[in-house]
Amino acid sequence: MFPIHRGILEFLGFSVLQPEFIYSVERLTDEERKAVLNNWSERLINIEKEIMKS
């Protein structure tokens, strides 16, 4: 993802947020899946703050 973020998007003037990677989602337990989804939900709710930092 770094070459795309840095080499293309940032080079063209876009503000790029950090990507969200979740590995081996097929192996997550229900509790782990809920935690991942809660973290993603919180990130989306607070995305405006993340945008202001970058």
Short mmCIF file of all heavy atoms in Angstrom, two decimals:
data_model
loop_
_atom_site.label_atom_id
_atom_site.label_comp_id
_atom_site.label_asym_id
_atom_site.label_seq_id
_atom_site.Cartn_x
_atom_site.Cartn_y
_atom_site.Cartn_z
N MET A 1 0.81 -1.20 0.00
CA MET A 1 0.00 0.00 0.00
C MET A 1 0.86 1.27 0.00
O MET A 1 0.42 2.28 -0.49
CB MET A 1 -0.93 0.01 1.20
CG MET A 1 -2.03 -1.04 1.20
SD MET A 1 -3.20 -0.93 -0.15
CE MET A 1 -3.95 0.62 0.12
N PHE A 2 2.05 1.20 0.58
CA PHE A 2 2.88 2.39 0.67
C PHE A 2 3.18 3.01 -0.69
O PHE A 2 3.06 4.23 -0.85
CB PHE A 2 4.18 2.08 1.42
CG PHE A 2 5.06 3.29 1.59
CD1 PHE A 2 4.77 4.24 2.55
CD2 PHE A 2 6.15 3.50 0.77
CE1 PHE A 2 5.56 5.37 2.71
CE2 PHE A 2 6.95 4.60 0.91
CZ PHE A 2 6.65 5.55 1.88
N PRO A 3 3.54 2.21 -1.71
CA PRO A 3 3.82 2.82 -3.01
C PRO A 3 2.61 3.55 -3.59
O PRO A 3 2.76 4.59 -4.23
CB PRO A 3 4.21 1.64 -3.90
CG PRO A 3 4.69 0.60 -2.97
CD PRO A 3 3.88 0.78 -1.72
N ILE A 4 1.43 3.03 -3.35
CA ILE A 4 0.22 3.69 -3.86
C ILE A 4 -0.04 4.96 -3.07
O ILE A 4 -0.29 6.02 -3.65
CB ILE A 4 -0.99 2.74 -3.79
CG1 ILE A 4 -0.78 1.57 -4.76
CG2 ILE A 4 -2.28 3.48 -4.11
CD1 ILE A 4 -1.79 0.47 -4.64
N HIS A 5 0.01 4.87 -1.74
CA HIS A 5 -0.25 6.04 -0.90
C HIS A 5 0.74 7.15 -1.18
O HIS A 5 0.37 8.29 -1.46
CB HIS A 5 -0.16 5.67 0.58
CG HIS A 5 -1.40 5.04 1.09
ND1 HIS A 5 -1.66 4.96 2.41
CD2 HIS A 5 -2.45 4.45 0.47
CE1 HIS A 5 -2.82 4.36 2.60
NE2 HIS A 5 -3.30 4.03 1.43
N ARG A 6 2.01 6.81 -1.08
CA ARG A 6 3.06 7.83 -1.17
C ARG A 6 3.36 8.22 -2.61
O ARG A 6 3.43 9.39 -2.95
CB ARG A 6 4.33 7.30 -0.50
CG ARG A 6 5.42 8.27 -0.40
CD ARG A 6 5.12 9.28 0.65
NE ARG A 6 6.29 10.12 0.85
CZ ARG A 6 6.34 11.06 1.74
NH1 ARG A 6 5.31 11.27 2.52
NH2 ARG A 6 7.40 11.79 1.85
N GLY A 7 3.53 7.20 -3.44
CA GLY A 7 3.98 7.44 -4.80
C GLY A 7 2.92 7.98 -5.74
O GLY A 7 3.25 8.61 -6.74
N ILE A 8 1.67 7.73 -5.45
CA ILE A 8 0.61 8.20 -6.35
C ILE A 8 -0.26 9.25 -5.67
O ILE A 8 -0.31 10.39 -6.11
CB ILE A 8 -0.25 7.01 -6.83
CG1 ILE A 8 0.61 6.03 -7.64
CG2 ILE A 8 -1.42 7.51 -7.67
CD1 ILE A 8 -0.09 4.75 -8.02
N LEU A 9 -0.93 8.86 -4.59
CA LEU A 9 -1.93 9.75 -3.99
C LEU A 9 -1.31 10.98 -3.34
O LEU A 9 -1.74 12.11 -3.62
CB LEU A 9 -2.79 8.97 -3.00
CG LEU A 9 -3.59 7.82 -3.63
CD1 LEU A 9 -4.29 7.02 -2.55
CD2 LEU A 9 -4.58 8.32 -4.65
N GLU A 10 -0.32 10.80 -2.46
CA GLU A 10 0.29 11.97 -1.82
C GLU A 10 1.02 12.83 -2.84
O GLU A 10 1.02 14.05 -2.73
CB GLU A 10 1.25 11.53 -0.71
CG GLU A 10 0.52 11.09 0.54
CD GLU A 10 1.47 10.77 1.68
OE1 GLU A 10 2.65 11.15 1.63
OE2 GLU A 10 1.02 10.12 2.64
N PHE A 11 1.63 12.21 -3.82
CA PHE A 11 2.34 12.95 -4.86
C PHE A 11 1.39 13.88 -5.61
O PHE A 11 1.76 14.98 -6.01
CB PHE A 11 3.00 11.97 -5.83
CG PHE A 11 3.78 12.65 -6.93
CD1 PHE A 11 5.01 13.23 -6.66
CD2 PHE A 11 3.27 12.72 -8.22
CE1 PHE A 11 5.73 13.86 -7.66
CE2 PHE A 11 3.99 13.34 -9.22
CZ PHE A 11 5.22 13.92 -8.94
N LEU A 12 0.14 13.44 -5.76
CA LEU A 12 -0.87 14.25 -6.45
C LEU A 12 -1.58 15.22 -5.54
O LEU A 12 -2.47 15.95 -5.97
CB LEU A 12 -1.89 13.34 -7.14
CG LEU A 12 -1.32 12.50 -8.28
CD1 LEU A 12 -2.37 11.53 -8.78
CD2 LEU A 12 -0.80 13.38 -9.40
N GLY A 13 -1.22 15.24 -4.24
CA GLY A 13 -1.79 16.23 -3.33
C GLY A 13 -2.90 15.72 -2.45
O GLY A 13 -3.50 16.50 -1.70
N PHE A 14 -3.21 14.43 -2.48
CA PHE A 14 -4.25 13.88 -1.63
C PHE A 14 -3.75 13.70 -0.21
O PHE A 14 -2.58 13.37 0.00
CB PHE A 14 -4.72 12.51 -2.15
CG PHE A 14 -5.55 12.57 -3.39
CD1 PHE A 14 -4.96 12.47 -4.63
CD2 PHE A 14 -6.92 12.73 -3.32
CE1 PHE A 14 -5.71 12.52 -5.79
CE2 PHE A 14 -7.68 12.79 -4.46
CZ PHE A 14 -7.07 12.68 -5.71
N SER A 15 -4.62 13.91 0.75
CA SER A 15 -4.33 13.55 2.14
C SER A 15 -4.75 12.10 2.29
O SER A 15 -5.91 11.75 2.07
CB SER A 15 -5.13 14.41 3.10
OG SER A 15 -4.72 15.75 3.00
N VAL A 16 -3.83 11.25 2.68
CA VAL A 16 -4.08 9.81 2.72
C VAL A 16 -4.08 9.33 4.16
O VAL A 16 -3.13 9.60 4.91
CB VAL A 16 -3.01 9.06 1.91
CG1 VAL A 16 -3.30 7.57 1.90
CG2 VAL A 16 -2.95 9.59 0.49
N LEU A 17 -5.13 8.63 4.56
CA LEU A 17 -5.22 8.05 5.89
C LEU A 17 -4.55 6.69 5.91
O LEU A 17 -4.39 6.04 4.86
CB LEU A 17 -6.68 7.92 6.31
CG LEU A 17 -7.47 9.22 6.35
CD1 LEU A 17 -8.92 8.93 6.68
CD2 LEU A 17 -6.87 10.18 7.36
N GLN A 18 -4.17 6.23 7.09
CA GLN A 18 -3.55 4.92 7.22
C GLN A 18 -4.56 3.84 6.85
O GLN A 18 -5.73 3.91 7.22
CB GLN A 18 -3.08 4.70 8.66
CG GLN A 18 -1.93 5.58 9.06
CD GLN A 18 -0.70 5.30 8.21
OE1 GLN A 18 -0.35 4.16 7.97
NE2 GLN A 18 -0.05 6.36 7.77
N PRO A 19 -4.12 2.83 6.12
CA PRO A 19 -5.03 1.74 5.76
C PRO A 19 -5.34 0.86 6.97
O PRO A 19 -4.61 0.88 7.96
CB PRO A 19 -4.24 0.95 4.72
CG PRO A 19 -2.82 1.25 4.99
CD PRO A 19 -2.78 2.64 5.56
N GLU A 20 -6.40 0.13 6.88
CA GLU A 20 -6.82 -0.79 7.94
C GLU A 20 -6.66 -2.21 7.40
O GLU A 20 -7.35 -2.61 6.47
CB GLU A 20 -8.28 -0.53 8.31
CG GLU A 20 -8.81 -1.35 9.43
CD GLU A 20 -8.52 -0.73 10.78
OE1 GLU A 20 -8.21 0.46 10.86
OE2 GLU A 20 -8.61 -1.46 11.77
N PHE A 21 -5.74 -2.97 7.97
CA PHE A 21 -5.50 -4.34 7.55
C PHE A 21 -5.92 -5.29 8.65
O PHE A 21 -5.52 -5.13 9.80
CB PHE A 21 -4.02 -4.58 7.25
CG PHE A 21 -3.51 -3.84 6.07
CD1 PHE A 21 -2.61 -2.80 6.24
CD2 PHE A 21 -3.92 -4.17 4.80
CE1 PHE A 21 -2.12 -2.11 5.14
CE2 PHE A 21 -3.44 -3.49 3.69
CZ PHE A 21 -2.53 -2.45 3.87
N ILE A 22 -6.69 -6.29 8.30
CA ILE A 22 -7.06 -7.36 9.22
C ILE A 22 -6.66 -8.66 8.54
O ILE A 22 -7.17 -8.99 7.46
CB ILE A 22 -8.57 -7.37 9.52
CG1 ILE A 22 -9.08 -5.99 9.94
CG2 ILE A 22 -8.91 -8.43 10.57
CD1 ILE A 22 -8.46 -5.42 11.17
N TYR A 23 -5.76 -9.38 9.15
CA TYR A 23 -5.25 -10.62 8.56
C TYR A 23 -6.02 -11.84 9.06
O TYR A 23 -6.47 -11.87 10.21
CB TYR A 23 -3.76 -10.78 8.87
CG TYR A 23 -2.92 -9.69 8.26
CD1 TYR A 23 -2.48 -8.62 9.03
CD2 TYR A 23 -2.59 -9.72 6.92
CE1 TYR A 23 -1.71 -7.61 8.47
CE2 TYR A 23 -1.82 -8.71 6.34
CZ TYR A 23 -1.38 -7.67 7.13
OH TYR A 23 -0.63 -6.68 6.57
N SER A 24 -6.15 -12.83 8.21
CA SER A 24 -6.76 -14.13 8.55
C SER A 24 -8.14 -13.99 9.18
O SER A 24 -8.44 -14.60 10.20
CB SER A 24 -5.84 -14.93 9.48
OG SER A 24 -4.61 -15.18 8.87
N VAL A 25 -8.98 -13.19 8.55
CA VAL A 25 -10.32 -12.97 9.12
C VAL A 25 -11.13 -14.25 9.20
O VAL A 25 -11.99 -14.38 10.07
CB VAL A 25 -11.10 -11.89 8.33
CG1 VAL A 25 -10.48 -10.53 8.51
CG2 VAL A 25 -11.22 -12.26 6.87
N GLU A 26 -10.84 -15.20 8.34
CA GLU A 26 -11.58 -16.46 8.37
C GLU A 26 -11.25 -17.28 9.63
O GLU A 26 -12.00 -18.18 9.98
CB GLU A 26 -11.32 -17.30 7.11
CG GLU A 26 -9.92 -17.85 7.00
CD GLU A 26 -8.89 -16.88 6.46
OE1 GLU A 26 -9.22 -15.71 6.17
OE2 GLU A 26 -7.73 -17.30 6.33
N ARG A 27 -10.17 -16.95 10.30
CA ARG A 27 -9.76 -17.69 11.49
C ARG A 27 -10.08 -16.96 12.80
O ARG A 27 -9.76 -17.45 13.87
CB ARG A 27 -8.26 -17.97 11.44
CG ARG A 27 -7.91 -18.87 10.30
CD ARG A 27 -6.46 -19.20 10.30
NE ARG A 27 -6.19 -20.11 9.19
CZ ARG A 27 -5.00 -20.33 8.70
NH1 ARG A 27 -3.96 -19.72 9.21
NH2 ARG A 27 -4.84 -21.16 7.71
N LEU A 28 -10.70 -15.81 12.71
CA LEU A 28 -11.04 -15.06 13.92
C LEU A 28 -12.19 -15.75 14.67
O LEU A 28 -13.12 -16.26 14.06
CB LEU A 28 -11.46 -13.64 13.58
CG LEU A 28 -10.41 -12.71 12.99
CD1 LEU A 28 -11.04 -11.38 12.63
CD2 LEU A 28 -9.26 -12.52 13.95
N THR A 29 -12.10 -15.71 15.99
CA THR A 29 -13.23 -16.19 16.79
C THR A 29 -14.32 -15.12 16.76
O THR A 29 -14.09 -13.99 16.32
CB THR A 29 -12.79 -16.44 18.25
OG1 THR A 29 -12.41 -15.19 18.83
CG2 THR A 29 -11.66 -17.44 18.32
N ASP A 30 -15.47 -15.46 17.24
CA ASP A 30 -16.56 -14.49 17.28
C ASP A 30 -16.19 -13.27 18.12
O ASP A 30 -16.51 -12.14 17.75
CB ASP A 30 -17.85 -15.11 17.84
CG ASP A 30 -18.51 -16.04 16.84
OD1 ASP A 30 -18.24 -15.90 15.63
OD2 ASP A 30 -19.31 -16.90 17.27
N GLU A 31 -15.49 -13.49 19.24
CA GLU A 31 -15.10 -12.38 20.11
C GLU A 31 -14.08 -11.48 19.40
O GLU A 31 -14.16 -10.26 19.48
CB GLU A 31 -14.51 -12.90 21.42
CG GLU A 31 -15.49 -13.62 22.30
CD GLU A 31 -15.74 -15.07 21.90
OE1 GLU A 31 -14.87 -15.67 21.22
OE2 GLU A 31 -16.80 -15.59 22.24
N GLU A 32 -13.13 -12.10 18.71
CA GLU A 32 -12.13 -11.33 17.98
C GLU A 32 -12.77 -10.54 16.84
O GLU A 32 -12.44 -9.38 16.60
CB GLU A 32 -11.04 -12.25 17.41
CG GLU A 32 -10.17 -12.87 18.46
CD GLU A 32 -9.27 -13.96 17.92
OE1 GLU A 32 -9.66 -14.65 16.95
OE2 GLU A 32 -8.17 -14.13 18.48
N ARG A 33 -13.71 -11.16 16.16
CA ARG A 33 -14.42 -10.49 15.06
C ARG A 33 -15.21 -9.29 15.58
O ARG A 33 -15.20 -8.21 14.98
CB ARG A 33 -15.34 -11.49 14.36
CG ARG A 33 -15.98 -10.93 13.11
CD ARG A 33 -16.74 -11.99 12.31
NE ARG A 33 -15.78 -12.88 11.65
CZ ARG A 33 -15.59 -14.16 11.95
NH1 ARG A 33 -16.31 -14.73 12.89
NH2 ARG A 33 -14.71 -14.88 11.31
N LYS A 34 -15.86 -9.47 16.72
CA LYS A 34 -16.61 -8.35 17.31
C LYS A 34 -15.67 -7.22 17.69
O LYS A 34 -16.00 -6.05 17.49
CB LYS A 34 -17.40 -8.83 18.53
CG LYS A 34 -18.60 -9.66 18.16
CD LYS A 34 -19.32 -10.16 19.40
CE LYS A 34 -20.45 -11.09 19.02
NZ LYS A 34 -21.13 -11.65 20.19
N ALA A 35 -14.50 -7.56 18.24
CA ALA A 35 -13.53 -6.54 18.62
C ALA A 35 -13.02 -5.78 17.40
O ALA A 35 -12.91 -4.55 17.42
CB ALA A 35 -12.36 -7.17 19.36
N VAL A 36 -12.73 -6.51 16.32
CA VAL A 36 -12.27 -5.87 15.07
C VAL A 36 -13.34 -4.93 14.54
O VAL A 36 -13.05 -3.80 14.15
CB VAL A 36 -11.90 -6.95 14.02
CG1 VAL A 36 -11.78 -6.34 12.64
CG2 VAL A 36 -10.63 -7.66 14.42
N LEU A 37 -14.58 -5.40 14.53
CA LEU A 37 -15.67 -4.57 14.02
C LEU A 37 -15.92 -3.35 14.91
O LEU A 37 -16.21 -2.26 14.41
CB LEU A 37 -16.95 -5.39 13.86
CG LEU A 37 -16.90 -6.44 12.75
CD1 LEU A 37 -18.14 -7.32 12.79
CD2 LEU A 37 -16.75 -5.78 11.39
N ASN A 38 -15.79 -3.52 16.22
CA ASN A 38 -15.95 -2.38 17.12
C ASN A 38 -14.84 -1.36 16.90
O ASN A 38 -15.10 -0.15 16.90
CB ASN A 38 -15.97 -2.84 18.58
CG ASN A 38 -17.29 -3.46 18.97
OD1 ASN A 38 -18.31 -3.19 18.35
ND2 ASN A 38 -17.26 -4.32 19.96
N ASN A 39 -13.60 -1.84 16.74
CA ASN A 39 -12.49 -0.92 16.47
C ASN A 39 -12.70 -0.17 15.16
O ASN A 39 -12.45 1.03 15.07
CB ASN A 39 -11.17 -1.68 16.43
CG ASN A 39 -10.75 -2.17 17.79
OD1 ASN A 39 -11.20 -1.68 18.81
ND2 ASN A 39 -9.88 -3.16 17.80
N TRP A 40 -13.17 -0.87 14.13
CA TRP A 40 -13.42 -0.24 12.83
C TRP A 40 -14.54 0.79 12.96
O TRP A 40 -14.46 1.89 12.42
CB TRP A 40 -13.77 -1.30 11.80
CG TRP A 40 -14.08 -0.76 10.45
CD1 TRP A 40 -15.26 -0.85 9.78
CD2 TRP A 40 -13.21 -0.04 9.57
NE1 TRP A 40 -15.17 -0.23 8.57
CE2 TRP A 40 -13.92 0.27 8.41
CE3 TRP A 40 -11.88 0.38 9.67
CZ2 TRP A 40 -13.37 0.97 7.35
CZ3 TRP A 40 -11.33 1.08 8.61
CH2 TRP A 40 -12.07 1.37 7.48
N SER A 41 -15.58 0.42 13.69
CA SER A 41 -16.70 1.35 13.91
C SER A 41 -16.23 2.61 14.61
O SER A 41 -16.60 3.73 14.22
CB SER A 41 -17.78 0.65 14.72
OG SER A 41 -18.83 1.52 15.01
N GLU A 42 -15.41 2.46 15.66
CA GLU A 42 -14.88 3.61 16.37
C GLU A 42 -14.01 4.48 15.46
O GLU A 42 -14.06 5.70 15.53
CB GLU A 42 -14.07 3.16 17.59
CG GLU A 42 -14.91 2.67 18.73
CD GLU A 42 -15.81 3.74 19.30
OE1 GLU A 42 -15.35 4.90 19.46
OE2 GLU A 42 -16.98 3.44 19.58
N ARG A 43 -13.22 3.84 14.62
CA ARG A 43 -12.38 4.60 13.70
C ARG A 43 -13.25 5.42 12.75
O ARG A 43 -12.96 6.59 12.48
CB ARG A 43 -11.47 3.67 12.91
CG ARG A 43 -10.55 4.45 12.00
CD ARG A 43 -9.58 3.60 11.26
NE ARG A 43 -8.72 4.46 10.45
CZ ARG A 43 -7.99 4.04 9.45
NH1 ARG A 43 -7.96 2.78 9.13
NH2 ARG A 43 -7.26 4.89 8.75
N LEU A 44 -14.30 4.81 12.22
CA LEU A 44 -15.17 5.54 11.30
C LEU A 44 -15.91 6.68 11.99
O LEU A 44 -16.09 7.75 11.40
CB LEU A 44 -16.16 4.58 10.64
CG LEU A 44 -15.56 3.58 9.67
CD1 LEU A 44 -16.64 2.67 9.12
CD2 LEU A 44 -14.82 4.27 8.54
N ILE A 45 -16.32 6.45 13.22
CA ILE A 45 -17.01 7.51 13.96
C ILE A 45 -16.08 8.70 14.18
O ILE A 45 -16.51 9.85 14.11
CB ILE A 45 -17.54 6.95 15.31
CG1 ILE A 45 -18.72 6.01 15.05
CG2 ILE A 45 -17.94 8.08 16.25
CD1 ILE A 45 -19.16 5.22 16.26
N ASN A 46 -14.81 8.42 14.42
CA ASN A 46 -13.84 9.47 14.72
C ASN A 46 -12.94 9.81 13.53
O ASN A 46 -11.87 10.39 13.72
CB ASN A 46 -12.97 9.04 15.91
CG ASN A 46 -13.79 8.87 17.15
OD1 ASN A 46 -14.53 9.76 17.53
ND2 ASN A 46 -13.68 7.72 17.78
N ILE A 47 -13.35 9.48 12.33
CA ILE A 47 -12.51 9.65 11.15
C ILE A 47 -12.17 11.13 10.92
O ILE A 47 -11.08 11.46 10.43
CB ILE A 47 -13.16 9.03 9.90
CG1 ILE A 47 -12.13 8.80 8.81
CG2 ILE A 47 -14.31 9.88 9.37
CD1 ILE A 47 -11.29 7.62 9.02
N GLU A 48 -13.06 12.02 11.32
CA GLU A 48 -12.80 13.44 11.12
C GLU A 48 -11.58 13.90 11.94
O GLU A 48 -10.78 14.70 11.46
CB GLU A 48 -14.04 14.25 11.52
CG GLU A 48 -13.97 15.69 11.07
CD GLU A 48 -15.29 16.39 11.24
OE1 GLU A 48 -16.32 15.85 10.79
OE2 GLU A 48 -15.29 17.47 11.86
N LYS A 49 -11.45 13.37 13.15
CA LYS A 49 -10.27 13.70 13.97
C LYS A 49 -9.00 13.16 13.33
O LYS A 49 -7.96 13.82 13.37
CB LYS A 49 -10.43 13.11 15.37
CG LYS A 49 -11.55 13.73 16.17
CD LYS A 49 -11.71 13.03 17.49
CE LYS A 49 -12.96 13.54 18.19
NZ LYS A 49 -13.25 12.75 19.39
N GLU A 50 -9.08 11.98 12.75
CA GLU A 50 -7.94 11.38 12.09
C GLU A 50 -7.54 12.22 10.85
O GLU A 50 -6.36 12.39 10.58
CB GLU A 50 -8.25 9.94 11.68
CG GLU A 50 -7.08 9.18 11.16
CD GLU A 50 -7.40 7.73 10.88
OE1 GLU A 50 -8.34 7.18 11.47
OE2 GLU A 50 -6.71 7.15 10.04
N ILE A 51 -8.53 12.73 10.17
CA ILE A 51 -8.27 13.57 8.99
C ILE A 51 -7.56 14.84 9.40
O ILE A 51 -6.63 15.29 8.73
CB ILE A 51 -9.58 13.88 8.25
CG1 ILE A 51 -10.14 12.60 7.62
CG2 ILE A 51 -9.38 14.95 7.19
CD1 ILE A 51 -11.56 12.75 7.08
N MET A 52 -7.96 15.43 10.52
CA MET A 52 -7.37 16.67 10.98
C MET A 52 -5.90 16.49 11.39
O MET A 52 -5.11 17.41 11.28
CB MET A 52 -8.16 17.25 12.15
CG MET A 52 -9.54 17.66 11.78
SD MET A 52 -9.51 18.87 10.46
CE MET A 52 -11.18 19.35 10.39
N LYS A 53 -5.53 15.29 11.88
CA LYS A 53 -4.16 15.01 12.29
C LYS A 53 -3.22 14.94 11.11
O LYS A 53 -2.07 15.28 11.21
CB LYS A 53 -4.08 13.68 13.05
CG LYS A 53 -4.66 13.72 14.42
CD LYS A 53 -4.49 12.37 15.07
CE LYS A 53 -5.20 12.28 16.39
NZ LYS A 53 -5.08 10.94 16.97
N SER A 54 -3.73 14.45 9.96
CA SER A 54 -2.84 14.25 8.81
C SER A 54 -2.69 15.47 7.97
O SER A 54 -3.03 16.53 8.20
CB SER A 54 -3.34 13.10 7.95
OG SER A 54 -4.65 13.32 7.50
#
